[in-house]
Amino acid sequence: MASSLHQLLKEEGFEKGKLLKNQLDDSTALPIYICHGRKSSEITEHKDEKTVIRNGSSVFSSFKPKSDEPVIDEAAIKAVISILGGYTGRYLKDESYRAMVKDKCTSCLLSRRKAGSDGGIFMNMELGIESIDKLVEDRGNKKELRMKLLRNSIRLLSIVASLNCEKSRNGSTCGVPHSHLSACAQLYLSIVYKLEKNHRLSARHLLQVFCDSAFLARTHLLPDLWDHFFLPHLLHLKVWYHKELEHLSNLGNALKETKMKALSKLYNDQMDMGTAMFAMYYKEWLKIGAKVPPVPTVPLPSSSSYGSSRRRSSESHASVSSINRNLYQTVFGATTEWQSMELDRRIRTSIDICCLESEENEFKYENYNQNKKKTHRRSSSSHIYSTPRTELLPETQKSGHFRLFSCQSRPKGCLVNGKIDVRNNSKRNLEHLDLPLSDLNKAIATICSSDVLSDCEIAIRVMTKAWLDSHGDSTIEAALTTAPIIEGVLEVLFASNDNEVMELAILILAEFITRSKVNRQTILNSDPQLEIFLKLLKNSSLFLKAAVLLYLLRPKAKQMISTEWIPLSLRVLEFGEHLQTLYTIRCSPQVAALYFLDQLLTGFNEDRNLENACQLVSLGGLNLLMRNVEFGGVLERNKAALIISCCIRADGSCRHYVADKLNKAALIELMVGNCKDSNGSVIALLTELLCLNRRTRMMKFLNELLRGWGGLNTMHILLACLHKALPEERPLVAALLLQLDLLGDPFRCSVYREEAVEVIIETLDCEKCNEKIQQQSAKALTMLGGRFSYMGEATTESWLLKQAGFHENLEDSFQKKEIGDNFLDEGEEEIENWQKKAAIALLNSGNKRFLAALSNSMAKDIPSLARASLVTIAWMSCFLHLAGDKDFQAMASSILTPRLLESSNSNRVLEERVLATFSLQQIRKSSGDIFKASLGHSIISFL
């Protein structure tokens, strides 16, 4: 982006390594400054198996441009992908939205379709859509079938999309323009790649919809996305169009109709051109290693283009398209200069609109001032400016509750004896005010009824002074803590740009909140979407105090729906180390930030929680959270640990970074600090961190954990944690304790191992344990399997299927490659050694009871636990010959064989039958004649 953006950040102090890691070239697309920790692009050197490699370079981290020209920052790219991905992601989650998209595509294609040969184009489109819907609606399809459907959809839709090539772009098939066919195909291709989790390519196809047919995309297919993503770039065109419409309204009917048609065509053509230009602009962003593209310029059309003779002075400063304000703030944060430029633009627009209103003699501002005493400021008259023209400025629209303050201002001073006492700005301090009660009454009347902002700002000063001087006087408190006054103070906060006044308002509202829950609820009811607080959190002078004020309100996630909450909360977390004092209240902004992040990552539905967690990771928030695991109060440290585990579940690739960088001693210290409380957040984090794809990394992590904290024994701390853990936490603590114990000799007797195995056996009892415990037990068994992908997904089952030769029967060559690639790992020997030690320890310590528990959990046929038990038996059977003597092996064979025979029955899922058969083969190898005898008895019983 342009050098002016770099300058904006420099003026905010983001230079010379203070907040940006490196000095950047002026033309570089600047990264988000919010925090300078690990971003998604700063993953460890491992190349994920899903990462595409071109010309020997990793797409995400190792790409090096050939020239010295800067490339777009990965965080900015992820912000764009996140915004676009929200629309395709909705298709996967919302059935009604799927139906609406399908209806829209069908209607725009079939409404213009004429008789004739279509060469199979429409059939390809229908089959492609049908395949996608099957994939979305039945997530349980086998992998090979899903891959076939995906490939088939891509092939069919690509044929349709290819109609928009240079040779046939302007053509049509059966009366339907190729641009329309291609746009619909591109939309569904975007959905296909979203299913494949290729988010970058999905976003590029979605942008291509607007390239292929901008008018269809913005008015019919994706109007919401266009409003949110493209319109802010092109708002100047809409303002211009409505001004021209106002001018034409004075013409005669015949002439007006002709010129309005010409104006509408000119406007739509220009809007389509601008939309396509910005779609191409963002597509350039999403190219791998793309250089910074120039920002498109979309000028205003000439009025003479449709025959207008009007010449307005406003045309001399007509704006051209600029960077999307919302996107700018998401990626770069709010800046004073941006706000100043935005205010200047609004003032110019307001002047132009006022001129038009004067010409038409409509809703004159003077009339409003003359009559303002006759109408309540929260009545419908407060919408007097809500003409169609004001709708052109969505960023200025706010809740109808807030008053519209007058443009007429008075010198700022004090309301003393009904007069305005003008003070010098540098001496506006509360100690200068010595006010009788009558002046407080005037201030109250002003804050409740005046539409003059400067008067209301003065009233804030007067009320604050009175509050301080009252020292808790009940009369003053009763006078000030009423709903109309609180609402008035909020309105001033919303409209004012005076930092001193806003700070006073924050301080007095904080006092009100601590006095009564009613006051707290009044504020939340007055600002249900927390728009005022979003404004305050963007203020570089007041954002820490604003965060504390908001924390006192304890808002819920449903009120924090804007995508700006994550970056704003991270900024508070980064710079909120010191306590903030709000008169009698002292609070840490970091405590507030962690509360906000906890709400944002746990307070919505699962999909939205994951999206927010991914945004946090992409903005570089992990380092901040890891820092907060080390320092601060116990509750805040636990909350930071819980948020990190949410991030890892959302973006599995970041677990390696956290495992390397996190202070393990701090985790042990935190477990000790939770002496009377649950260690659930620490256990959840450790569970995620132990799902590493390389055994060497896992061993390194376990050894660092074993070193402990303050000379205390980590094993003993975990054993104590096991005894007091909640029932659903016990299997995970046991699995963790067992893995630490296995760093030693698996044949050596160990109290820790005996306790851990005993807990695992207990939690496998399906009759005594609820569903949540069963799920955690399955997870504990999965952890003991010891095989994971780079994203943290268990791969033990895939490895076993490969050992059984099942992968050779898969028809999908891509699937074969995916399964095989997971195990092209030089650490295979280390993993097998680990599984050997784990099997010996579990079989020797658990003996008959452990094998019986696994067998019984399979028999109960509880989906997750039964499958995990079968997989555990399968990998342990490879090492059965190493445990115990012939009597033990006979006992193991007699317990497991009947259940495995049942699982190999033809009515079972194919993978289960393969695993059961594989296990029987391994038992036969290790037991020989003993197995044959056991098998005979089992077959007789089975029959």
Side-chain angles (χ1 to χ4, degrees):
M1 277 163 267
S3 59
S4 60
L5 300 185
H6 190 274
Q7 186 62 29
L8 286 176
L9 295 182
K10 288 180 69 175
E11 290 179 4
E12 286 288 296
F14 312 147
E15 58 178 338
K16 296 182 180 176
K18 293 178 182 176
L19 295 175
L20 291 174
K21 283 185 172 181
N22 305 301
Q23 282 290 72
L24 299 172
D25 185 270
D26 282 350
S27 61
T28 304
L30 297 168
I32 187 161
Y33 93 94
I34 290 292
C35 43
H36 40 274
R38 177 262 190 203
K39 293 188 175 67
S40 60
S41 59
E42 297 171 5
I43 304 173
T44 52
E45 70 281 358
H46 177 89
K47 296 179 178 66
D48 185 359
E49 54 263 25
K50 295 183 181 178
T51 302
V52 180
I53 305 295
R54 292 188 179 91
N55 299 328
S57 295
S58 168
V59 166
F60 295 110
S61 57
S62 62
F63 183 89
K64 300 293 183 182
K66 294 182 178 178
S67 67
D68 294 331
E69 293 184 41
V71 296
I72 300 171
D73 183 75
E74 188 69 25
I77 292 172
K78 291 204 78 170
V80 174
I81 292 173
S82 177
I83 292 169
L84 296 172
Y87 288 83
T88 46
R90 187 179 170 191
Y91 186 93
L92 310 183
K93 307 165 195 170
D94 188 339
E95 185 176 351
S96 61
Y97 185 74
R98 284 201 297 275
M100 183 186 71
V101 170
K102 189 172 182 179
D103 289 344
K104 284 185 175 183
C105 285
T106 303
S107 64
C108 75
L109 299 180
L110 297 184
S111 62
R112 302 184 61 170
R113 186 175 178 180
K114 300 175 183 177
S117 174
D118 62 9
I121 292 299
F122 289 95
M123 180 62 72
N124 288 340
M125 190 76 190
E126 290 169 13
L127 290 174
I129 294 174
E130 186 178 321
S131 296
I132 292 171
D133 286 341
K134 282 182 182 178
L135 285 167
V136 173
E137 291 166 6
D138 188 1
R139 301 291 182 91
N141 281 330
K142 297 176 185 177
K143 289 183 179 179
E144 61 268 29
L145 177 58
R146 286 183 64 81
M147 293 306 303
K148 283 182 180 179
L149 289 172
L150 280 169
R151 282 208 318 261
N152 191 47
S153 300
I154 292 171
R155 180 176 59 82
L156 294 170
L157 293 170
S158 296
I159 293 171
V160 181
S162 66
L163 291 173
N164 204 41
C165 64
E166 189 173 350
K167 291 182 179 178
S168 60
R169 181 172 297 138
N170 297 323
S172 64
T173 297
C174 295
V176 180
H178 286 167
S179 60
H180 289 196
L181 285 163
S182 180
C184 293
Q186 293 290 351
L187 174 55
Y188 274 95
L189 280 169
S190 174
I191 295 164
V192 170
Y193 286 109
K194 185 74 174 180
L195 279 166
E196 255 196 343
K197 297 186 179 179
N198 191 334
H199 304 299
R200 184 187 292 249
L201 193 52
S202 171
R204 282 178 59 83
H205 279 287
L206 193 61
L207 289 169
Q208 188 62 41
V209 177
F210 292 91
C211 298
D212 286 353
S213 183
F215 184 80
L216 181 69
R218 69 182 179 85
T219 61
H220 184 68
L221 291 178
L222 297 165
D224 291 342
L225 175 58
W226 184 80
D227 285 342
H228 177 62
F229 194 75
F230 292 99
L231 179 58
H233 292 303
L234 305 167
L235 202 57
H236 60 292
L237 295 178
K238 202 163 187 179
V239 173
W240 170 85
Y241 174 62
H242 281 262
K243 286 180 183 178
E244 297 298 314
L245 282 178
E246 293 294 337
H247 174 68
L248 293 180
S249 64
N250 297 322
L251 299 177
N253 288 338
L255 183 59
K256 179 169 69 173
E257 183 178 355
T258 302
K259 290 197 172 186
M260 286 184 76
K261 285 183 180 179
L263 171 63
S264 179
K265 184 179 186 308
L266 180 64
Y267 163 72
N268 281 314
D269 288 348
Q270 196 77 353
M271 192 64 86
D272 291 345
M273 180 190 74
T275 299
M277 288 172 67
F278 272 99
M280 289 302 299
Y281 169 71
Y282 282 116
K283 277 194 70 180
E284 287 296 315
W285 273 44
L286 301 182
K287 283 185 178 178
I288 305 302
K291 297 168 186 175
V292 182
V295 180
T297 297
V298 186
L300 294 180
S302 170
S303 298
S304 60
S305 301
Y306 68 96
S308 174
S309 58
R310 184 168 76 109
R311 292 291 181 269
R312 294 285 304 277
S313 61
S314 62
E315 290 184 5
S316 64
H317 57 253
S319 64
V320 295
S321 66
S322 59
I323 290 296
N324 178 323
R325 175 176 178 268
N326 293 329
L327 185 59
Y328 181 98
Q329 290 185 340
T330 299
V331 181
F332 302 103
T335 66
T336 303
E337 182 177 328
W338 175 275
Q339 293 167 351
S340 174
M341 292 164 60
E342 185 71 5
L343 179 61
D344 180 57
R345 184 186 66 76
R346 293 184 190 181
I347 290 171
R348 291 202 307 266
T349 306
S350 298
I351 291 172
D352 290 341
I353 290 175
C354 287
C355 290
L356 287 173
E357 288 171 343
S358 177
E359 291 172 3
E360 298 167 11
N361 197 26
E362 291 180 348
F363 302 121
K364 290 187 178 177
Y365 176 76
E366 292 77 13
N367 291 341
Y368 174 70
N369 265 345
Q370 291 169 6
N371 297 321
K372 67 181 179 181
K373 294 181 181 178
K374 298 179 183 179
T375 56
H376 193 276
R377 62 193 174 88
R378 293 187 183 88
S379 69
S380 59
S381 64
S382 66
H383 296 283
I384 198 157
Y385 293 117
S386 297
T387 67
R389 289 176 297 282
T390 59
E391 293 175 5
L392 305 179
L393 302 172
E395 66 270 35
T396 67
Q397 272 190 324
K398 298 298 174 185
S399 168
H401 167 85
F402 300 116
R403 89 187 84 177
L404 184 61
F405 284 101
S406 167
C407 297
Q408 294 180 348
S409 61
R410 301 177 185 172
K412 293 184 178 180
C414 301
L415 288 172
V416 181
N417 298 323
K419 298 180 181 179
I420 299 177
D421 176 24
V422 180
R423 297 187 180 277
N424 187 291
N425 285 346
S426 63
K427 298 181 180 180
R428 293 180 302 169
N429 296 314
L430 292 178
E431 56 266 24
H432 291 145
L433 298 176
D434 186 14
L435 303 167
L437 188 59
S438 60
D439 291 320
L440 176 60
N441 291 335
K442 290 173 184 175
I444 291 173
T446 299
I447 203 72
C448 291
S449 61
S450 176
D451 290 293
V452 180
L453 177 58
S454 57
D455 285 356
C456 292
E457 290 175 334
I458 296 167
I460 293 287
R461 298 174 187 279
V462 173
M463 290 191 305
T464 307
K465 176 66 174 174
W467 179 271
L468 287 175
D469 291 345
S470 71
H471 302 293
D473 182 87
S474 59
T475 304
I476 298 295
E477 181 178 335
L480 293 179
T481 56
T482 64
I485 292 176
I486 292 172
E487 291 166 0
V489 173
L490 287 171
E491 290 169 349
V492 173
L493 269 177
F494 184 73
S496 179
N497 287 314
D498 187 320
N499 280 349
E500 186 179 346
V501 169
M502 289 192 288
E503 183 173 1
L504 293 175
I506 289 171
L507 300 179
I508 198 169
L509 285 175
E511 291 287 309
F512 292 169
I513 293 168
T514 57
R515 292 296 193 279
S516 168
K517 291 182 179 178
V518 175
N519 297 336
R520 169 183 172 272
Q521 198 58 49
T522 299
I523 296 174
L524 290 174
N525 291 342
S526 300
D527 188 15
Q529 299 303 320
L530 305 179
E531 295 174 90
I532 296 171
F533 290 93
L534 279 174
K535 173 201 170 184
L536 293 174
L537 289 171
K538 296 170 189 174
N539 185 307
S540 57
S541 300
L542 300 175
F543 70 99
L544 295 179
K545 283 184 167 58
V548 171
L549 176 63
L550 183 58
Y551 175 63
L552 295 175
L553 293 171
R554 300 296 199 279
K556 298 301 180 184
K558 63 183 179 181
Q559 297 171 276
M560 308 167 75
I561 57 176
S562 170
T563 56
E564 295 177 295
W565 280 106
I566 295 290
L568 290 173
S569 300
L570 287 177
R571 184 166 76 150
V572 174
L573 187 63
E574 181 164 19
F575 299 109
E577 294 181 0
H578 302 295
L579 289 174
Q580 292 290 309
T581 302
L582 281 65
Y583 289 152
T584 61
I585 301 159
R586 286 171 61 81
C587 180
S588 166
Q590 289 186 339
V591 173
L594 289 168
Y595 172 84
F596 304 150
L597 291 172
D598 181 53
Q599 284 292 314
L600 291 163
L601 270 64
T602 63
F604 294 101
N605 60 39
E606 183 179 1
D607 291 331
R608 179 65 189 274
N609 289 340
L610 293 176
E611 288 172 8
N612 285 341
C614 287
Q615 186 187 11
L616 189 155
V617 173
S618 69
L619 295 179
L622 287 174
N623 268 17
L624 298 179
L625 292 167
M626 286 190 284
R627 184 186 69 186
N628 279 271
V629 170
E630 296 185 44
F631 306 106
V634 172
L635 290 177
E636 288 70 48
R637 293 171 66 190
N638 276 297
K639 192 157 286 186
L642 182 63
I643 295 170
I644 293 174
S645 63
C646 291
C647 292
I648 294 173
R649 283 194 292 273
D651 182 357
S653 64
C654 70
R655 66 170 31 85
H656 304 276
Y657 180 82
V658 176
D660 287 341
K661 301 296 183 183
L662 185 64
N663 186 331
K664 286 74 176 180
L667 285 179
I668 301 301
E669 179 193 1
L670 185 54
M671 293 179 74
V672 175
N674 291 329
C675 52
K676 294 182 180 179
D677 300 312
S678 168
N679 273 301
S681 58
V682 181
I683 298 305
L685 178 55
L686 287 172
T687 301
E688 293 297 336
L689 293 177
L690 282 172
C691 297
L692 299 170
N693 68 320
R694 293 180 183 271
R695 197 68 217 172
T696 50
R697 283 179 174 170
M698 200 178 297
M699 298 296 284
K700 177 177 178 288
F701 181 86
L702 287 169
N703 278 301
E704 289 175 352
L705 203 62
L706 194 61
R707 294 191 190 112
W709 165 78
L712 297 178
N713 186 324
T714 301
M715 302 278 282
H716 190 71
I717 293 169
L718 275 172
L719 184 59
C721 175
L722 180 63
H723 289 158
K724 68 172 185 176
L726 297 174
E728 62 269 20
E729 295 170 359
R730 284 169 60 79
L732 298 178
V733 179
L736 176 59
L737 182 60
L738 183 59
Q739 290 188 75
L740 285 170
D741 180 78
L742 289 178
L743 293 174
D745 184 355
F747 292 99
R748 178 177 54 83
C749 183
S750 165
V751 174
Y752 304 116
R753 186 186 312 151
E754 297 296 329
E755 289 262 7
V757 174
E758 183 64 28
V759 168
I760 291 172
I761 293 172
E762 288 176 5
T763 56
L764 285 173
D765 189 340
C766 304
E767 295 179 356
K768 295 181 180 179
C769 300
N770 60 33
E771 184 179 353
K772 194 167 186 180
I773 298 174
Q774 292 164 4
Q775 291 173 350
Q776 299 298 65
S777 298
K779 193 167 187 177
L781 291 178
T782 301
M783 289 173 63
L784 296 175
R787 293 178 181 272
F788 301 93
S789 70
Y790 185 71
M791 301 299 287
E793 298 168 346
T795 58
T796 305
E797 181 178 331
S798 298
W799 176 79
L800 288 165
L801 292 173
K802 179 190 175 185
Q803 299 303 306
F806 180 62
H807 70 295
E808 295 173 0
N809 298 324
L810 294 180
E811 297 177 10
D812 194 324
S813 60
F814 178 84
Q815 180 69 12
K816 283 200 293 184
K817 183 179 185 300
E818 183 181 45
I819 292 176
D821 284 350
N822 286 335
F823 306 102
L824 295 177
D825 183 1
E826 65 274 14
E828 180 64 24
E829 186 177 346
E830 285 83 355
I831 296 177
E832 288 192 12
N833 287 336
W834 155 257
Q835 287 187 322
K836 184 188 301 181
K837 293 176 71 173
I840 291 170
L842 288 168
L843 293 170
N844 287 344
S845 296
N847 211 287
K848 179 179 179 179
R849 291 180 61 238
F850 178 63
L851 293 173
L854 289 174
S855 177
N856 290 336
S857 67
M858 286 174 60
K860 298 297 182 184
D861 214 18
I862 297 169
S864 60
L865 188 54
R867 187 71 165 253
S869 298
L870 175 59
V871 171
T872 302
I873 290 172
W875 68 260
M876 285 179 57
S877 66
C878 299
F879 309 102
L880 191 61
H881 63 285
L882 299 175
D885 53 18
K886 289 185 177 180
D887 291 338
F888 174 82
Q889 291 169 8
M891 178 267 296
S893 180
S894 65
I895 292 173
L896 298 178
T897 301
R899 200 67 64 209
L900 292 171
L901 281 172
E902 185 180 334
S903 295
S904 62
N905 200 323
S906 59
N907 62 353
R908 296 281 182 165
V909 177
L910 178 59
E911 288 86 352
E912 289 186 11
R913 284 154 41 201
V914 172
L915 291 172
T917 304
F918 175 81
S919 302
L920 288 169
Q921 289 175 345
Q922 296 303 313
I923 294 173
R924 181 183 62 79
K925 287 180 183 177
S926 63
S927 304
D929 294 336
I930 298 173
F931 171 78
K932 292 178 182 177
S934 176
L935 181 62
H937 291 303
S938 299
I939 291 174
I940 293 171
S941 301
F942 186 69
L943 293 174

mmCIF file of all heavy atoms in Angstrom, residues 593-595 597-598 601 613 616 622 625 638-648:
data_model
loop_
_atom_site.group_PDB
_atom_site.id
_atom_site.type_symbol
_atom_site.label_atom_id
_atom_site.label_comp_id
_atom_site.label_asym_id
_atom_site.label_seq_id
_atom_site.Cartn_x
_atom_site.Cartn_y
_atom_site.Cartn_z
ATOM 1 N N ALA A 593 -8.655 -7.461 29.341
ATOM 2 C CA ALA A 593 -8.413 -8.012 28.008
ATOM 3 C C ALA A 593 -8.620 -9.523 27.990
ATOM 4 O O ALA A 593 -9.200 -10.078 27.057
ATOM 5 C CB ALA A 593 -7.002 -7.665 27.548
ATOM 6 N N LEU A 594 -8.141 -10.201 29.036
ATOM 7 C CA LEU A 594 -8.313 -11.657 29.095
ATOM 8 C C LEU A 594 -9.778 -12.032 29.239
ATOM 9 O O LEU A 594 -10.224 -13.051 28.693
ATOM 10 C CB LEU A 594 -7.494 -12.227 30.262
ATOM 11 C CG LEU A 594 -5.978 -12.212 30.056
ATOM 12 C CD1 LEU A 594 -5.253 -12.524 31.357
ATOM 13 C CD2 LEU A 594 -5.555 -13.192 28.970
ATOM 14 N N TYR A 595 -10.534 -11.211 29.957
ATOM 15 C CA TYR A 595 -11.978 -11.469 30.053
ATOM 16 C C TYR A 595 -12.627 -11.351 28.675
ATOM 17 O O TYR A 595 -13.430 -12.198 28.279
ATOM 18 C CB TYR A 595 -12.626 -10.477 31.022
ATOM 19 C CG TYR A 595 -14.142 -10.573 31.023
ATOM 20 C CD1 TYR A 595 -14.789 -11.524 31.797
ATOM 21 C CD2 TYR A 595 -14.916 -9.728 30.232
ATOM 22 C CE1 TYR A 595 -16.180 -11.630 31.782
ATOM 23 C CE2 TYR A 595 -16.301 -9.820 30.210
ATOM 24 C CZ TYR A 595 -16.925 -10.776 30.984
ATOM 25 O OH TYR A 595 -18.290 -10.886 30.960
ATOM 26 N N LEU A 597 -11.212 -11.668 25.690
ATOM 27 C CA LEU A 597 -10.772 -12.747 24.809
ATOM 28 C C LEU A 597 -11.440 -14.071 25.178
ATOM 29 O O LEU A 597 -11.791 -14.867 24.301
ATOM 30 C CB LEU A 597 -9.250 -12.884 24.867
ATOM 31 C CG LEU A 597 -8.458 -11.726 24.246
ATOM 32 C CD1 LEU A 597 -6.976 -11.872 24.539
ATOM 33 C CD2 LEU A 597 -8.698 -11.639 22.747
ATOM 34 N N ASP A 598 -11.614 -14.296 26.462
ATOM 35 C CA ASP A 598 -12.303 -15.510 26.899
ATOM 36 C C ASP A 598 -13.734 -15.534 26.375
ATOM 37 O O ASP A 598 -14.210 -16.574 25.887
ATOM 38 C CB ASP A 598 -12.297 -15.569 28.425
ATOM 39 C CG ASP A 598 -12.989 -16.820 28.950
ATOM 40 O OD1 ASP A 598 -12.620 -17.923 28.523
ATOM 41 O OD2 ASP A 598 -13.919 -16.687 29.763
ATOM 42 N N LEU A 601 -13.684 -16.215 22.531
ATOM 43 C CA LEU A 601 -13.249 -17.537 22.081
ATOM 44 C C LEU A 601 -14.077 -18.680 22.662
ATOM 45 O O LEU A 601 -13.915 -19.834 22.242
ATOM 46 C CB LEU A 601 -11.778 -17.755 22.428
ATOM 47 C CG LEU A 601 -10.772 -17.322 21.347
ATOM 48 C CD1 LEU A 601 -10.824 -15.825 21.109
ATOM 49 C CD2 LEU A 601 -9.355 -17.729 21.739
ATOM 50 N N ALA A 613 -10.609 -17.530 17.304
ATOM 51 C CA ALA A 613 -9.306 -18.039 17.734
ATOM 52 C C ALA A 613 -8.293 -17.972 16.600
ATOM 53 O O ALA A 613 -7.126 -17.597 16.814
ATOM 54 C CB ALA A 613 -9.449 -19.473 18.235
ATOM 55 N N LEU A 616 -7.120 -14.476 16.272
ATOM 56 C CA LEU A 616 -6.159 -14.138 17.327
ATOM 57 C C LEU A 616 -4.761 -14.639 16.963
ATOM 58 O O LEU A 616 -3.773 -13.915 17.122
ATOM 59 C CB LEU A 616 -6.631 -14.752 18.651
ATOM 60 C CG LEU A 616 -5.893 -14.344 19.920
ATOM 61 C CD1 LEU A 616 -6.802 -14.498 21.138
ATOM 62 C CD2 LEU A 616 -4.632 -15.170 20.153
ATOM 63 N N LEU A 622 -0.272 -14.974 20.351
ATOM 64 C CA LEU A 622 0.182 -16.077 21.195
ATOM 65 C C LEU A 622 1.278 -15.666 22.163
ATOM 66 O O LEU A 622 1.299 -16.101 23.324
ATOM 67 C CB LEU A 622 0.657 -17.244 20.323
ATOM 68 C CG LEU A 622 -0.449 -18.038 19.629
ATOM 69 C CD1 LEU A 622 0.143 -19.070 18.687
ATOM 70 C CD2 LEU A 622 -1.352 -18.724 20.646
ATOM 71 N N LEU A 625 -0.182 -14.007 25.162
ATOM 72 C CA LEU A 625 -0.849 -14.957 26.046
ATOM 73 C C LEU A 625 0.166 -15.795 26.822
ATOM 74 O O LEU A 625 -0.018 -16.055 28.017
ATOM 75 C CB LEU A 625 -1.778 -15.859 25.232
ATOM 76 C CG LEU A 625 -2.996 -15.158 24.639
ATOM 77 C CD1 LEU A 625 -3.674 -16.048 23.613
ATOM 78 C CD2 LEU A 625 -3.985 -14.771 25.727
ATOM 79 N N ASN A 638 -4.543 -18.743 34.485
ATOM 80 C CA ASN A 638 -5.368 -19.872 34.044
ATOM 81 C C ASN A 638 -6.178 -19.513 32.810
ATOM 82 O O ASN A 638 -6.325 -20.310 31.887
ATOM 83 C CB ASN A 638 -6.310 -20.302 35.170
ATOM 84 C CG ASN A 638 -5.650 -21.261 36.151
ATOM 85 O OD1 ASN A 638 -5.259 -22.362 35.794
ATOM 86 N ND2 ASN A 638 -5.514 -20.840 37.388
ATOM 87 N N LYS A 639 -6.692 -18.294 32.795
ATOM 88 C CA LYS A 639 -7.492 -17.869 31.649
ATOM 89 C C LYS A 639 -6.631 -17.780 30.400
ATOM 90 O O LYS A 639 -7.053 -18.175 29.304
ATOM 91 C CB LYS A 639 -8.141 -16.516 31.951
ATOM 92 C CG LYS A 639 -9.221 -16.126 30.962
ATOM 93 C CD LYS A 639 -10.192 -15.127 31.564
ATOM 94 C CE LYS A 639 -11.118 -15.756 32.556
ATOM 95 N NZ LYS A 639 -12.165 -14.857 33.054
ATOM 96 N N ALA A 640 -5.393 -17.287 30.550
ATOM 97 C CA ALA A 640 -4.480 -17.215 29.404
ATOM 98 C C ALA A 640 -4.174 -18.611 28.880
ATOM 99 O O ALA A 640 -4.127 -18.845 27.665
ATOM 100 C CB ALA A 640 -3.192 -16.500 29.806
ATOM 101 N N ALA A 641 -3.975 -19.576 29.789
ATOM 102 C CA ALA A 641 -3.703 -20.955 29.371
ATOM 103 C C ALA A 641 -4.895 -21.536 28.617
ATOM 104 O O ALA A 641 -4.731 -22.219 27.594
ATOM 105 C CB ALA A 641 -3.385 -21.812 30.596
ATOM 106 N N LEU A 642 -6.091 -21.255 29.110
ATOM 107 C CA LEU A 642 -7.289 -21.764 28.447
ATOM 108 C C LEU A 642 -7.452 -21.174 27.054
ATOM 109 O O LEU A 642 -7.800 -21.876 26.098
ATOM 110 C CB LEU A 642 -8.522 -21.436 29.298
ATOM 111 C CG LEU A 642 -9.857 -21.938 28.769
ATOM 112 C CD1 LEU A 642 -9.882 -23.460 28.709
ATOM 113 C CD2 LEU A 642 -11.005 -21.432 29.635
ATOM 114 N N ILE A 643 -7.168 -19.884 26.907
ATOM 115 C CA ILE A 643 -7.292 -19.224 25.600
ATOM 116 C C ILE A 643 -6.269 -19.793 24.621
ATOM 117 O O ILE A 643 -6.566 -20.002 23.440
ATOM 118 C CB ILE A 643 -7.130 -17.702 25.756
ATOM 119 C CG1 ILE A 643 -8.296 -17.133 26.585
ATOM 120 C CG2 ILE A 643 -7.070 -17.009 24.404
ATOM 121 C CD1 ILE A 643 -8.111 -15.695 27.008
ATOM 122 N N ILE A 644 -5.054 -20.074 25.095
ATOM 123 C CA ILE A 644 -4.034 -20.667 24.222
ATOM 124 C C ILE A 644 -4.502 -22.033 23.719
ATOM 125 O O ILE A 644 -4.336 -22.369 22.537
ATOM 126 C CB ILE A 644 -2.686 -20.799 24.953
ATOM 127 C CG1 ILE A 644 -2.095 -19.417 25.242
ATOM 128 C CG2 ILE A 644 -1.689 -21.603 24.116
ATOM 129 C CD1 ILE A 644 -0.842 -19.450 26.092
ATOM 130 N N SER A 645 -5.092 -22.824 24.607
ATOM 131 C CA SER A 645 -5.574 -24.150 24.167
ATOM 132 C C SER A 645 -6.694 -24.011 23.139
ATOM 133 O O SER A 645 -6.778 -24.815 22.198
ATOM 134 C CB SER A 645 -6.045 -24.974 25.372
ATOM 135 O OG SER A 645 -7.145 -24.370 26.022
ATOM 136 N N CYS A 646 -7.520 -22.974 23.279
ATOM 137 C CA CYS A 646 -8.558 -22.713 22.260
ATOM 138 C C CYS A 646 -7.906 -22.382 20.916
ATOM 139 O O CYS A 646 -8.378 -22.823 19.859
ATOM 140 C CB CYS A 646 -9.444 -21.542 22.697
ATOM 141 S SG CYS A 646 -10.502 -21.890 24.110
ATOM 142 N N CYS A 647 -6.841 -21.602 20.959
ATOM 143 C CA CYS A 647 -6.134 -21.232 19.724
ATOM 144 C C CYS A 647 -5.521 -22.456 19.045
ATOM 145 O O CYS A 647 -5.559 -22.578 17.822
ATOM 146 C CB CYS A 647 -5.033 -20.210 20.031
ATOM 147 S SG CYS A 647 -5.653 -18.594 20.543
ATOM 148 N N ILE A 648 -4.971 -23.344 19.837
ATOM 149 C CA ILE A 648 -4.350 -24.543 19.267
ATOM 150 C C ILE A 648 -5.406 -25.435 18.620
ATOM 151 O O ILE A 648 -5.183 -26.004 17.548
ATOM 152 C CB ILE A 648 -3.567 -25.310 20.354
ATOM 153 C CG1 ILE A 648 -2.382 -24.470 20.836
ATOM 154 C CG2 ILE A 648 -3.075 -26.649 19.827
ATOM 155 C CD1 ILE A 648 -1.646 -25.072 22.023
#
